[in-house]
């Protein structure tokens, strides 16, 4: 009787897996839609708050020299919270991790408003660090889009979610001013108003993920891959680190996202200062940064298609070429505002190519159970290195100038290019290749 019951349970499980496989295309579209929606919301909340972060820090601290610590605290929080969120996703799936990220971001936004109300600078920095959890959730969303994608379409799945950030990133700074005016009668400083709005937006994003991201894409991918090791040890953070260390392509992916993000943040952060030295107005600086953001996000679907069609390593090579071109254009611009604007636009394109191809390469190159942990390590590495790069960039510009900063950024691309060429020249082990999602036809 017991053996018959077990056979029924096995047959039922196989039938459920078959049904899930048949519904995969519709499931992919629905999950992608949910992730795009939350990416728009998350990007809107982050951009709305960050728009006046430095202004708020200056008001509370009373000195311009400390104003840069607010965005730095956000980057630091994004980096530090990457691994805890990845650990939760590894154990429980994407949905709990993304919900927690947006909730912590909402709490951070509330702490920022409180800090502004009582004039506490240390509390402000703590709130900004928690605010960075929403950025971490946004970054992790791109990997959730790849969980159920076919290997030849993973980069495109990632790029669609990255593209959605364009909407929030463009709208956010534009609603910062009305958000500030909306709290004028509440006893809250106007510069803190955007954070109040951002906290509400993050709560909406958490609700959307918690209610609509079902079934969980990561848990579903595991269920459709019965050949993978399902033990807790195979899904641990240690397993994720070991998987990256064991794969040349995974190591290259880690280096790719870290280098392109560091180059982008370092150059972008100091460009408004350089434009100001050459008499650019605030409106012109805003236009240059808007063009840069358009380069970062608006063309990501094109980068995803290229990465899927010509290969991840070719996508890395394209990123290196674009970033080198951007460093040359911006670094030799002198007082030419138009040349700097073009350089920043190309800088955004290079970042997009590197992030999409690197993220897809990492997803390809590690076993499915260890992916969430490896992806968390990737985000920790890229945000930590970018935080250091952004801090050092100010020192480089102060001592040697904006041109030397671009030269230093270009030099960072040399070891990345060498590593990509070395990886391409070596025969790729079978374990380094893409892994097909169970239930999808091989090609």
């Amino acid at each position: 009787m017991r053996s018959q019951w077990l056979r029924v349970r096995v047959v039922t499980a196989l039938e459920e897996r078959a049904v899930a496989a048949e519904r995969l295309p519709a499931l992919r579209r629905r999950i992608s839609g949910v992730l795009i929606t939350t990416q728009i919301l998350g990007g809107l909340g982050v951009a709305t708050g960050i728009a006046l972060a430095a202004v708020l820090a200056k008001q509370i601290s009373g000195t311009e020299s400390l104003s840069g610590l607010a965005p730095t605290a956000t980057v630091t929080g994004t980096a530090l919270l990457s691994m805890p969120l990845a650990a939760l996703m590894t154990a429980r799936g994407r949905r709990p991790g993304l919900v927690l990220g947006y909730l912590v971001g909402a709490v951070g936004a509330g702490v920022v408003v409180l800090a502004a109300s009582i004039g506490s600078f240390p509390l402000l920095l703590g709130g900004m660090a928690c605010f960075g959890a929403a950025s971490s959730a946004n970054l992790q969303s791109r990997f959730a889009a790849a969980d159920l994608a076919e290997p030849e379409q993973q980069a495109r799945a990632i790029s669609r979610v990255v593209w959605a950030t364009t909407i929030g990133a463009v709208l956010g700074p534009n609603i910062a001013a009305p958000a500030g005016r909306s709290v004028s009668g509440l006893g809250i400083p106007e510069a803190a108003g955007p954070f109040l709005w951002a906290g509400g937006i993050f709560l909406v994003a958490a609700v959307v993920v918690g209610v609509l991201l079902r079934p969980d894409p990561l848990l579903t991918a595991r269920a459709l891959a019965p050949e993978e090791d399902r033990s807790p040890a195979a899904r641990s953070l240690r397993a994720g680190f070991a998987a990256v260390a064991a794969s040349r392509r995974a190591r290259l992916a880690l280096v790719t996202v870290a280098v392109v993000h560091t180059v982008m943040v370092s150059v972008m952060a100091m460009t408004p200062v350089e434009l100001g030295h050459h008499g650019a107005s605030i409106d012109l600086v805003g236009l240059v940064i808007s063009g840069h953001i358009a380069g970062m996000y608006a063309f990501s679907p094109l980068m995803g298609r290229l990465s899927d069609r010509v290969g991840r390593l070719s996508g890395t090579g394209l990123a290196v070429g674009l970033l080198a071109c951007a460093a040359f254009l911006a670094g030799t611009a002198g007082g030419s505002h138009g040349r700097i604007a073009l350089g920043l636009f190309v800088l955004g394109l290079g970042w997009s190519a590197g992030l999409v191809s690197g993220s897809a390469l990492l997803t390809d190159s590690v076993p499915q159970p260890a992916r969430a942990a490896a992806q968390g390590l990737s985000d920790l590495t890229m945000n930590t290195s970018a935080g250091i790069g952004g801090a050092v960039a100010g020192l480089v510009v102060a001592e040697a100038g904006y041109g030397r900063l671009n030269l230093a950024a270009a030099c960072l691309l040399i070891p990345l290019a060498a590593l990509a060429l070395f990886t391409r020249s070596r025969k790729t082990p079978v374990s380094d290749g893409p892994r097909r999602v169970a239930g999808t036809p091989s090609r």
Side-chain angles (χ1 to χ4, degrees):
M1 183 72 178
R2 180 175 176 80
S3 61
Q4 183 179 3
W5 178 81
L6 287 174
R7 281 198 300 271
V8 171
R9 289 297 301 271
V10 170
V11 171
T12 302
L14 291 174
E15 289 175 348
E16 288 176 351
R17 185 172 295 126
V19 171
E22 293 172 359
R23 295 176 180 174
L24 270 178
L27 182 59
R28 290 189 185 108
R29 289 192 295 270
R30 189 167 65 81
I31 287 177
S32 178
V34 173
L35 292 172
I36 287 173
T37 300
T38 56
Q39 192 77 355
I40 293 172
L41 291 170
L44 178 62
V46 170
T48 301
I50 289 297
L52 294 179
V55 174
L56 183 60
K58 180 182 177 181
Q59 290 179 0
I60 295 177
S61 66
T63 174
E64 188 174 349
S65 61
L66 296 179
S67 61
L69 290 181
T72 300
T74 303
V75 174
T76 302
T78 301
L80 293 178
L81 292 166
S82 296
M83 290 312 301
L85 292 181
L88 179 58
M89 292 181 194
T90 297
R92 303 289 298 276
R94 299 290 185 190
R95 187 171 61 253
L98 294 178
V99 168
L100 179 61
Y102 288 124
L103 289 179
V104 173
V107 170
V111 171
V112 169
V113 174
L114 175 62
S117 300
I118 65 176
S120 173
F121 189 67
L123 188 61
L124 171 70
L125 296 183
M128 292 301 301
C130 292
F131 188 82
S135 294
S136 186
N138 266 17
L139 287 170
Q140 292 284 336
S141 293
R142 75 189 192 277
F143 291 121
D147 284 334
L148 292 175
E150 296 183 46
E152 62 271 23
Q153 294 186 2
Q154 283 177 344
R156 272 171 279 189
I158 291 171
S159 68
R160 283 192 291 268
V161 173
V162 173
W163 171 86
T165 310
T166 310
I167 300 174
V170 172
L171 289 178
N174 292 306
I175 69 172
R181 291 191 295 269
S182 70
V183 300
S184 58
L186 302 177
I188 298 173
E190 189 170 308
F195 287 93
L196 188 63
W197 282 40
I201 293 171
F202 292 155
L203 289 176
V204 173
V207 170
V208 170
V209 171
V211 173
L212 299 181
L213 195 64
R214 297 173 184 272
D216 188 284
L218 180 59
L219 299 183
T220 303
R222 288 175 180 170
L224 292 173
E227 72 280 1
E228 299 284 4
D229 187 353
R230 298 191 182 187
S231 65
R235 302 195 303 267
S236 66
L237 294 179
R238 179 178 296 180
F241 295 165
V244 172
S247 168
R248 286 195 303 272
R249 293 168 67 87
R251 295 194 299 271
L252 172 62
L254 207 69
V255 173
T256 297
V257 295
V259 169
V260 300
H261 198 53
T262 301
V263 169
M264 186 277 291
V265 169
S266 300
V267 174
M268 181 270 294
M270 299 311 299
T271 298
V273 176
E274 176 69 7
L275 287 169
H277 289 163
H278 294 287
S281 65
I282 294 178
D283 290 338
L284 178 58
V285 171
L287 286 174
V288 172
I289 298 302
S290 295
H292 170 66
I293 292 173
M296 288 174 63
Y297 298 118
F299 295 88
S300 57
L302 174 61
M303 300 304 178
R305 182 173 292 274
L306 287 173
S307 181
D308 281 335
R309 291 181 68 88
V310 303
R312 316 299 192 223
L313 299 185
S314 296
T316 298
L318 175 62
V320 169
L322 288 170
L323 292 172
C325 181
F328 174 76
L329 288 170
T332 60
S336 172
H337 297 161
R339 190 179 176 94
I340 290 179
L342 178 59
L344 264 288
F345 175 73
V346 177
L347 184 74
L349 290 177
W351 177 87
S352 180
L355 183 76
V356 170
S357 62
S359 299
L361 180 62
L362 182 67
T363 302
D364 288 344
S365 304
V366 297
Q368 200 282 331
R371 282 181 185 171
Q375 291 159 350
L377 175 62
S378 171
D379 283 354
L380 171 64
T381 303
M382 68 181 279
N383 284 292
T384 301
S385 59
I388 295 172
V392 172
L395 299 176
V396 173
V397 170
E399 295 295 327
Y402 183 71
R404 293 295 178 87
L405 171 64
N406 280 272
L407 177 61
C411 289
L412 290 177
L413 300 171
I414 297 175
L416 172 58
L419 182 60
L421 290 173
F422 174 77
T423 302
R424 182 185 288 275
S425 67
R426 299 292 296 271
K427 185 177 180 180
T428 303
V430 174
S431 60
D432 280 354
R435 292 170 172 78
R436 185 173 63 89
V437 174
T440 61
S442 59
R443 294 186 180 183

